[in-house]
Amino acid sequence: MLWQLFWSFFKIGAFTFGSGYAMIPMIEKEVVDRKKWFDSEDFYNHLALAQSSPGPIALNTAVFVGYRMKGWPGALTAVLGSVLPCFTIILLIAVFFEDIRDNSYVEAAFKAIRPAVVALIAVPFVRMLKPLRWPMVCLGIAAALLIWQTSISPVWFILAGAVTGIAEAIIKAPKQ
C-alpha cells in the first residue's frame, strides 16, 4: 500500500503543471476513480479540509489521503511522492535555466501550457458546485464578493460556515 501511495502521488506530481489546484482533478481521478480509496463525497470533504488547512492544497490533500490509508507513514509517503518530481524538475531547471531562459521554444511551451492550467483549476471548482443547492452557491458568491470588496478576513466566513454546519447537523440529528 505504501508503494501504491508513493507511485500514485509521484505520477501526479510529475505530470501536473501549474498550482496545487491543477493537481486536484488528477488526485481525484486517481484516488476516487482508479484506486477507489475514497468515494466522491468523502474526497470533497477531505478536499475542503485540505483547503482550510494552512499550506499548499496539493500537499495537504496528499497528507489527508496518505494518513487515511496508512496513518503517518502513509501521509509521509504520499507527500514524498508528490514533492519529489517537482523538486527534481525545479533543481534541473535551476541548474540549466541560464542556458534555456531565452529559448523561444521554451517560452512558447510555457505560453501554451497556461490555458490547460486554467482548465485544470476550473474542473474541481465546477465539480464541487454540482452537489450544492443554488442558495448555497449564491451565498458563496456573495461571500467572495464581500471579501473582495471589503477588508473582512476570509477566516470569519470560514468560521461562520463551520458554526452554521455544526448547528445544522445538531438540529437535523435524530432525537434519541
Side-chain angles (χ1 to χ4, degrees):
M1 173 55 76
L2 289 176
W3 172 249
Q4 286 182 352
L5 276 168
F6 178 83
W7 184 243
S8 292
F9 281 94
F10 184 87
K11 290 186 300 187
I12 292 165
F15 296 107
T16 305
F17 296 95
S19 70
Y21 284 100
M23 295 173 92
I24 299 303
M26 292 182 72
I27 294 172
E28 180 184 16
K29 184 171 267 328
E30 184 72 15
V31 304
V32 175
D33 299 337
R34 289 192 184 118
K35 300 292 185 184
K36 309 273 190 240
W37 291 337
F38 287 73
D39 62 26
S40 287
E41 183 179 349
D42 202 22
F43 176 76
Y44 282 115
N45 288 337
H46 280 78
L47 182 60
L49 190 58
Q51 286 177 314
S52 62
S53 301
I57 187 164
L59 287 182
N60 290 346
T61 305
V63 167
F64 290 128
V65 170
Y67 186 80
R68 170 141 177 233
M69 301 311 296
K70 288 301 270 182
W72 288 112
L76 180 63
T77 301
V79 167
L80 284 174
S82 181
V83 170
L84 196 58
C86 302
F87 176 77
T88 305
I89 291 167
I90 288 172
L91 184 64
L92 290 172
I93 288 172
V95 169
F96 298 108
F97 185 69
E98 195 61 37
D99 297 335
I100 64 170
R101 176 173 57 181
D102 296 325
N103 186 313
S104 62
Y105 296 112
V106 172
E107 285 182 30
F110 281 125
K111 284 181 183 176
I113 289 171
R114 286 183 193 150
V117 170
V118 170
L120 285 172
I121 293 169
V123 166
F125 175 75
V126 171
R127 284 189 181 159
M128 287 174 60
L129 287 177
K130 282 183 181 179
L132 292 178
R133 298 179 307 264
W134 274 107
M136 298 303 276
V137 172
C138 293
L139 188 60
I141 292 170
L145 289 172
L146 273 171
I147 291 167
W148 179 45
Q149 293 295 320
T150 68
S151 61
I152 299 172
S153 172
V155 171
W156 293 113
F157 290 93
I158 293 169
L159 290 174
V163 168
T164 303
I166 291 168
E168 183 180 8
I170 291 170
I171 291 168
K172 289 184 177 181
K175 306 290 183 210
Q176 294 181 4

